[in-house]
Amino acid sequence: MLRRWMLPILFLALGLAAAARQIAQGSPVAAVTLLLIFLVGAVLLSPLIFPRSVSTAEALHRSAADGRPIVYWRPGCRFCMRLRTRLGRHAYRMHWVDIWSDPDGAAAVRAATGGDETVPTVVVAGEPHVNPDPRWVRAQLP
């Protein structure tokens, strides 16, 4: 659980340190600006911008019932963030599995990628696609 939040916490700590330094130098406006920039960065690196994750078993069950793709992802992955932001509101029409909180999800990704945990891995109709183009993913949505 802590592993998912390590990068955002580190980013926020760096922002606080940078802001404290600006305040010590007498620049409160620069301190607030830096703190806001780092805060936005921490949120973008956190699991907060992603739809609620489900387990691999639940995602497979739901996907079999409704035909929606499964996305295996992990917090802090810039390619996962790219996919999530480019999908916009359509991201909620997919089943998301955080491989850091679901060992079965990590195993499924390793099986699909030949041993690596390369994410995002999108499974459409049982066929895995590693780091696919977001436009292609959107076209696969039912």
Side-chain angles (χ1 to χ4, degrees):
M1 180 70 172
L2 182 62
R3 181 176 168 184
R4 313 173 59 189
W5 290 96
M6 205 58 149
L7 193 57
I9 289 170
L10 178 64
F11 212 74
L12 188 57
L14 289 172
L16 288 170
R21 180 177 174 159
Q22 290 298 319
I23 288 175
Q25 292 177 349
S27 301
V29 174
V32 170
T33 303
L34 276 173
L35 189 58
L36 287 175
I37 290 170
F38 277 89
L39 181 63
V40 167
V43 168
L44 289 175
L45 292 172
S46 78
L48 296 175
I49 67 165
F50 290 89
R52 186 179 154 273
S53 287
V54 297
S55 68
T56 299
E58 181 68 20
L60 290 170
H61 176 73
R62 289 181 183 182
S63 182
D66 60 19
R68 293 181 180 187
I70 300 170
V71 180
Y72 294 97
W73 69 286
R74 66 175 168 76
C77 168
R78 66 183 176 144
F79 300 107
C80 298
M81 284 188 287
R82 176 180 148 252
L83 178 65
R84 167 60 187 100
T85 55
R86 292 219 179 138
L87 287 174
R89 61 184 165 83
H90 299 291
Y92 292 93
R93 295 172 52 200
M94 304 170 75
H95 305 292
W96 293 75
V97 178
D98 178 359
I99 66 168
W100 278 0
S101 65
D102 184 31
D104 293 335
V109 170
R110 284 193 302 272
T113 61
D116 297 325
E117 289 186 358
T118 307
V119 288
T121 298
V122 179
V123 178
V124 178
E127 186 71 30
H129 304 274
V130 178
N131 198 13
D133 184 81
R135 290 177 299 214
W136 179 85
V137 174
R138 194 177 305 118
Q140 305 307 308
L141 294 173

